[in-house]
Amino acid sequence: MTDPHATAERILRRFARETNLLISGRPVRVSAEAEDTAVALAVAGMARALGARLVEDEATSADVLDIDVRGDDAALSLGGAPLASRGDAGGRLDFAAAHMPVSTALAEEIGAAGTVRGLRIGVAMTLESKTANLALLLQAAGAEVAVYAHPDETDPEVAAALRARGVPVDADTTLSGEAERAAALAWLRRGFDVVVDDGSHLVRLAHEAAPDLVESWIGVTEETTSGLTPLRAMATQGALRTPVVAVNDAATKTGFDNRYGTGQSCVLAIADLIEHVDATVRDLPVLVIGYGPVGVGVAAHLRALGAEVAVAEIDPVRALLAAHDGYPAGRAEDHAPGALVISCTGAPGTVTRELLELASIVAVAGGVPGEVDLDLAALEPVEVAGRTVDHLDVDVERGTLVLDRGGCINVTAAEGNPIEIMDLSFATQLAAIRELVETRPGPGVHAVSDAAVAHVAATAARVRGVALDARPASSAAASSDWHSPRYREDRA
């Protein structure tokens, strides 16, 4: 007998996997014959729990997802057209570009203003279709762009497609150790005015091994929490020799990227992988370690799929937030036995050897190297029906399944965060680059200005068709009067 819940999950995961598009915020229309009503209701309920807006009218726009349930599967249409393959890497680049209107609008403004014309911009980020489009947008705005990506964070087909479009790419999936370090330094020695970093790995390497290069930089934009933490430590110690704009901290980045983007991409990638061993996120207790923006998103998406989630957190405020969101909050060792354990801290050593032994399955959402304390020699690939399952290993000493060898699960086992989310993040990157170039701040970590963030948000609302309310004139006038109305002398 068909399990409506399991079928609904597979349908929504298939949409996300085949398109790399976001479910949250998307208008979704579900239809079915009478015999498929139970599955249709499960699809609608799960889509709503994931943040979709259910619609029933016949109007069609480019972002409407139609799901026609048919037995244990569904026919999917987007914008009135049957969902089709995105094709090769070039096709994936073009598909992503068509769904990145906010970044496109910001890049056109920068291009018209001549802000980056002739500047050398290095982009050091996970290389997939959205990052490739950021590079292409900067190139179209007049910059000389070169891209670097870590071997584990490179889609070689996308790298080739980007090179074919005229952007130099230093990314080689075969490198490791000293060869990888040498390749990173060689990329830095191309010479840049602005470096766009993710995790601050290249910025830190430059400070350590090529400080002369840093002196020539206008500055850096940093995408992640895990990258900003060491940069702030460097600033405190007087070791940071360049201005850094904290893109991660902007509301248009961290308010969406971590909760909605990392939440969806990591949870659905985990669900895709564990299905190979006939498991679902509902089969096991789930422990989310860390309840920052990533942990909040991961927990919410797990709950939407029907998982029973507990949270471990060292920060009392975040632990209280988890409790008020309805999750049992406690010590990791108390919730880890037999659980699917997902680290969301971005801190090395979060999943200790002891937790690894207690857990049934371990994964990392977002993440930094060493977030799981692994003995890589104890890992063996999992085989199902005589075939090795990519990104799925077993710790033979403990019997624990380890996803993606403790790496960032949504990067190498999937396509990273959904396109619309990275559209907002990269629009914020573009705004930060413009502000960096135009204001030339001194060394240190700097926020993206409120005005720049507001401009990104307003642009996103406009191009995505989100209507904004107008403030009543009486409210606007009252906001400039600081006197308390409670004690007015003329008050009756």
Side-chain angles (χ1 to χ4, degrees), residues 229-323:
T229 298
L231 292 176
R232 288 193 166 105
M234 290 171 66
T236 299
Q237 297 167 20
L240 186 62
R241 303 170 67 174
T242 188
V244 175
V245 179
V247 171
N248 174 79
D249 295 351
T252 45
K253 192 279 181 185
T254 198
F256 297 87
D257 186 295
N258 297 351
R259 187 191 192 288
Y260 300 102
T262 306
Q264 173 178 306
S265 59
C266 287
V267 169
L268 298 192
I270 290 167
D272 281 342
L273 276 177
I274 66 177
E275 187 176 47
H276 289 289
V277 292
D278 295 324
T280 76
V281 298
R282 301 180 306 283
D283 296 332
L284 301 168
V286 183
L287 170 63
V288 171
I289 304 181
Y291 204 65
V294 169
V296 169
V298 167
H301 283 79
L302 287 163
R303 174 183 276 173
L305 298 188
E308 292 293 329
V309 182
V311 170
E313 177 55 78
I314 61 174
D315 182 281
V317 172
R318 292 175 178 173
L320 287 166
L321 287 171

Side-chain angles (χ1 to χ4, degrees), residues 64-154:
V64 173
L65 169 61
D66 278 292
I67 304 175
D68 182 2
V69 176
R70 300 177 181 182
D72 60 355
D73 201 356
L76 304 179
S77 298
L78 185 64
L83 204 61
S85 169
R86 289 173 285 162
D88 61 10
R92 284 187 278 133
L93 261 66
D94 294 339
F95 183 89
H99 291 85
M100 295 177 67
V102 191
S103 294
T104 300
L106 266 291
E108 288 174 350
E109 290 180 6
I110 291 171
T115 305
V116 298
R117 188 175 300 125
L119 293 183
R120 299 162 300 166
I121 299 181
V123 177
M125 310 184 89
T126 298
L127 181 51
E128 36 68 53
S129 60
K130 288 91 67 181
T131 305
N133 274 299
L134 173 63
L136 291 168
L137 288 170
L138 285 166
Q139 182 186 62
E144 298 176 20
V145 183
V147 173
Y148 172 84
H150 185 273
D152 292 342
E153 298 176 348
T154 297

Side-chain angles (χ1 to χ4, degrees), residues 82-465:
L83 204 61
S85 169
R86 289 173 285 162
D88 61 10
R92 284 187 278 133
L93 261 66
D94 294 339
F95 183 89
H99 291 85
M100 295 177 67
V102 191
S103 294
T104 300
L106 266 291
E108 288 174 350
E109 290 180 6
I110 291 171
T115 305
V116 298
R117 188 175 300 125
L119 293 183
R120 299 162 300 166
I121 299 181
V123 177
M125 310 184 89
T126 298
L127 181 51
E128 36 68 53
S129 60
K130 288 91 67 181
T131 305
N133 274 299
L134 173 63
L136 291 168
L137 288 170
L138 285 166
Q139 182 186 62
E144 298 176 20
V145 183
V147 173
Y148 172 84
H150 185 273
D152 292 342
E153 298 176 348
T154 297
D155 182 327
E157 295 178 353
V158 169
L162 192 53
R163 291 187 188 103
R165 299 188 186 195
V167 175
V169 178
D170 295 350
D172 185 340
T173 59
T174 67
L175 298 181
S176 62
E178 285 302 315
E180 176 195 334
R181 176 186 170 91
L185 282 169
W187 179 80
L188 285 166
R189 290 191 176 106
R190 284 179 175 273
F192 298 112
D193 299 300
V194 174
V195 174
V196 178
D197 208 351
D198 183 331
S200 70
H201 299 291
L202 275 296
V203 172
R204 285 181 278 166
L205 177 62
H207 278 75
E208 172 196 339
D212 56 305
L213 298 176
V214 178
E215 301 297 334
S216 67
W217 292 351
I218 295 171
V220 173
T221 62
E222 171 54 45
E223 177 82 1
T224 65
T225 304
S226 59
L228 286 171
T229 298
L231 292 176
R232 288 193 166 105
M234 290 171 66
T236 299
Q237 297 167 20
L240 186 62
R241 303 170 67 174
T242 188
V244 175
V245 179
V247 171
N248 174 79
D249 295 351
T252 45
K253 192 279 181 185
T254 198
F256 297 87
D257 186 295
N258 297 351
R259 187 191 192 288
Y260 300 102
T262 306
Q264 173 178 306
S265 59
C266 287
V267 169
L268 298 192
I270 290 167
D272 281 342
L273 276 177
I274 66 177
E275 187 176 47
H276 289 289
V277 292
D278 295 324
T280 76
V281 298
R282 301 180 306 283
D283 296 332
L284 301 168
V286 183
L287 170 63
V288 171
I289 304 181
Y291 204 65
V294 169
V296 169
V298 167
H301 283 79
L302 287 163
R303 174 183 276 173
L305 298 188
E308 292 293 329
V309 182
V311 170
E313 177 55 78
I314 61 174
D315 182 281
V317 172
R318 292 175 178 173
L320 287 166
L321 287 171
H324 282 76
D325 283 339
Y327 303 109
R331 299 186 307 170
E333 63 189 56
D334 294 333
H335 292 287
L340 163 59
V341 175
I342 306 174
S343 178
C344 302
T345 65
T350 294
V351 180
T352 63
R353 297 285 176 97
E354 291 75 20
L355 290 179
L356 188 61
E357 186 157 359
L358 291 171
S360 290
I361 304 174
V362 168
V364 173
V368 296
E371 198 156 331
V372 181
D373 185 7
L374 281 172
D375 177 5
L376 294 178
L379 296 184
E380 291 185 0
V382 170
E383 290 190 0
V384 176
R387 299 183 63 181
T388 298
V389 180
D390 290 339
H391 312 295
L392 187 59
D393 293 274
V394 60
D395 184 321
V396 293
E397 295 180 1
R398 299 166 179 83
T400 305
L401 289 177
V402 178
L403 305 190
D404 197 33
R405 300 173 73 83
C408 183
I409 192 65
N410 64 337
V411 173
T412 57
E415 285 190 75
N417 284 351
I419 294 168
E420 300 96 331
I421 288 298
M422 297 312 298
D423 182 29
L424 272 179
S425 292
F426 286 162
T428 309
Q429 279 279 8
L430 290 163
I433 291 169
R434 182 173 192 172
E435 198 158 68
L436 180 65
V437 171
E438 292 180 347
T439 65
R440 307 288 177 114
V445 178
H446 306 271
V448 184
S449 72
D450 290 344
V453 173
H455 180 62
V456 172
T459 302
R462 174 176 57 80
V463 301
R464 293 184 177 184

